[in-house]
């Protein structure tokens, strides 16, 4: 499944009658929104956001608060994740439309809400005001695939290396552990060992496993976080990926000051999971879940080794 990543900015200033934000009009869609656009090759979210604001609204900005993401399905049926930052321009800077935009203007906050075309953009105004989001955090479990044979131990490409006998037992126990969390979506790296990690859970829940190239080893860590946030929009989810991406994701979240729950353990064993709480377009907490141990699961619940 193709995931679309984009980024943008909510540019603010203090106007004569109170706070104002920049909105842009795109003639191709006849919509009003915040300046945003898709990531270019090798570009991270923040660089994209700054570039798009400059291209579409003619503003060079300083970056403020991370406003999280909005997620939706685009016109081609693809999940789209757009990450936003609060931004400020130089005093007196005027917005100037360009690059696929035919109008860019400063708009008072009271006018911006009804003017915005999409409901998901209006959530950014609530975040800007610091108003609490409704609902509760959504759990997303990011698993490092279970044990597999040693790299190079099987013929053919490494992505076709299967899980081991021990790994099959781990996968069954993972399914038993995660089945009670109301999981509604599964996504995996295209590597066979990651897919097989989720097979028992997929069979038990009757869910398909979405193939996510962004979860394949060596990929950009930002793509993993984008999948976490996109999956959470539909409810509790499980992602299966590789050790380098799990480590990179956890390191990035911890560096941003996200709380590590439980006893504070930071580890990356095969078959372990990280439980990420997603709330209001952002990861709010992460907790290490060690590989499942204990006796073989019983036949009750449909799990067999």
């Amino acid at each position: 499944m193709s995931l679309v990543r984009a980024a943008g900015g909510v540019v603010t200033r203090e106007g004569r009658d109170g706070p104002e934000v920049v909105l842009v009009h795109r003639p191709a869609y006849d919509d009003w929104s915040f300046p945003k656009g898709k990531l270019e090759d090798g570009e991270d979210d923040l660089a994209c956001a700054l570039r798009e604001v400059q291209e579409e609204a003619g503003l060079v900005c300083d970056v403020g608060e991370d406003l999280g993401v909005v997620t939706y399905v685009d016109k081609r049926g693809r999940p789209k994740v757009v990450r936003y930052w609060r931004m400020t321009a130089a005093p007196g800077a005027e917005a100037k439309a360009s690059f696929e935009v035919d109008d860019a203007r400063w708009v008072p906050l009271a006018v911006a809400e009804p003017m915005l075309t999409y409901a998901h953009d209006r959530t950014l105004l609530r975040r800007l005001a610091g108003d609490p989001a409704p609902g509760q955090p959504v759990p997303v479990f990011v698993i490092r695939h279970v044990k597999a044979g040693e790299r190079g131990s099987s013929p053919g490409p490494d992505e076709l290396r299967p899980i081991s006998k021990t790994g099959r037992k781990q996968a069954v126990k993972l399914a038993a552990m995660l089945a009670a969390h109301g999981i509604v979506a599964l996504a995996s790296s295209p590597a066979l060992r990651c897919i097989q990690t989720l097979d028992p859970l997929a069979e038990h829940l009757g869910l398909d496993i979405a193939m996510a190239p962004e979860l394949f080893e060596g990929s950009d860590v930002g793509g993993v976080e984008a999948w976490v946030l996109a999956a959470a929009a539909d409810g509790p989810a499980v992602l299966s990926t590789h050790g380098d991406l799990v480590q990179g994701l956890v390191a990035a979240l911890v560096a941003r000051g996200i709380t590590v729950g439980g006893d504070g353990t930071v580890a990356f064993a095969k078959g372990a999971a990280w439980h990420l709480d997603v709330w209001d377009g952002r990861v709010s907490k992460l907790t290490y879940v060690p590989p499942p141990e204990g006796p073989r699961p019983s036949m009750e619940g449909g799990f067999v080794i």
Side-chain angles (χ1 to χ4, degrees):
M1 179 184 297
S2 178
L3 177 72
V4 180
R5 294 176 60 194
V10 181
V11 187
T12 65
R13 75 177 182 186
E14 193 64 30
R16 288 186 303 175
D17 299 316
E20 297 178 337
V21 295
V22 171
L23 300 187
V24 298
H25 180 264
R26 301 181 300 169
Y29 301 97
D30 190 22
D31 61 9
W32 285 96
S33 63
F34 298 106
K36 67 178 184 302
K38 297 175 186 175
L39 272 66
E40 296 181 347
D41 289 344
E43 192 174 45
D44 64 23
D45 292 339
L46 181 54
C48 174
L50 289 166
R51 174 181 56 78
E52 289 289 341
V53 170
Q54 184 173 6
E55 288 181 351
E56 293 191 350
L59 295 170
V60 177
C61 295
D62 293 325
V63 178
E65 175 190 2
D66 182 346
L67 294 174
V69 306
V70 297
T71 59
Y72 54 94
V73 177
D74 72 7
K75 294 182 182 297
R76 295 172 58 184
R78 301 172 299 178
K80 187 169 184 176
V81 179
V82 190
R83 188 171 178 185
Y84 287 92
W85 279 265
R86 181 173 186 160
M87 298 183 183
T88 54
E94 290 301 326
K96 298 177 182 179
S98 63
F99 195 72
E100 302 178 349
V101 170
D102 64 356
D103 196 355
R105 62 178 74 169
W106 289 100
V107 177
L109 280 181
V111 176
E113 182 168 0
M115 191 170 167
L116 284 163
T117 302
Y118 306 111
H120 56 251
D121 283 341
R122 291 192 283 275
T123 65
L124 294 168
L125 296 179
R126 175 184 52 74
R127 294 177 192 170
L128 198 69
D131 295 336
Q136 299 293 323
V138 174
V140 177
F141 296 88
V142 180
I143 299 172
R144 181 183 181 186
H145 67 76
V146 298
K147 293 182 178 180
E150 294 295 327
R151 195 176 294 269
S153 62
S154 58
D158 186 65
E159 57 263 34
L160 298 181
R161 176 161 47 100
I163 61 177
S164 64
K165 181 177 179 180
T166 299
R168 290 195 296 272
K169 293 179 180 179
Q170 283 184 309
V172 170
K173 291 176 181 179
L174 274 170
M177 179 181 72
L178 295 172
H181 288 272
I183 305 300
V184 298
L186 305 174
S188 173
S189 158
L192 179 61
R193 55 194 180 276
C194 293
I195 299 168
Q196 289 180 328
T197 294
L198 295 185
D199 275 342
L201 182 60
E203 182 176 357
H204 179 73
L205 297 178
L207 295 175
D208 292 330
I209 303 172
M211 294 297 107
E214 294 86 356
L215 300 182
F216 189 68
E217 63 183 337
S219 299
D220 171 26
V221 169
V224 183
E225 184 176 2
W227 259 104
V228 168
L229 299 172
D234 294 323
V238 180
L239 312 182
S240 179
T241 185
H242 305 264
D244 63 327
L245 295 186
V246 179
Q247 292 180 45
L249 175 64
V250 170
L253 293 172
V254 170
R256 294 212 300 265
I258 307 302
T259 300
V260 178
D263 62 3
T265 295
V266 176
F268 305 99
K270 289 183 178 179
W274 277 89
H275 173 171
L276 276 56
D277 282 329
V278 178
W279 189 60
D280 203 18
R282 289 163 280 198
V283 176
S284 59
K285 187 174 74 171
L286 62 161
T287 305
Y288 180 67
V289 182
E293 301 295 343
R296 162 188 174 137
S298 70
M299 291 289 291
E300 184 178 357
F303 297 108
V304 292
I305 295 176

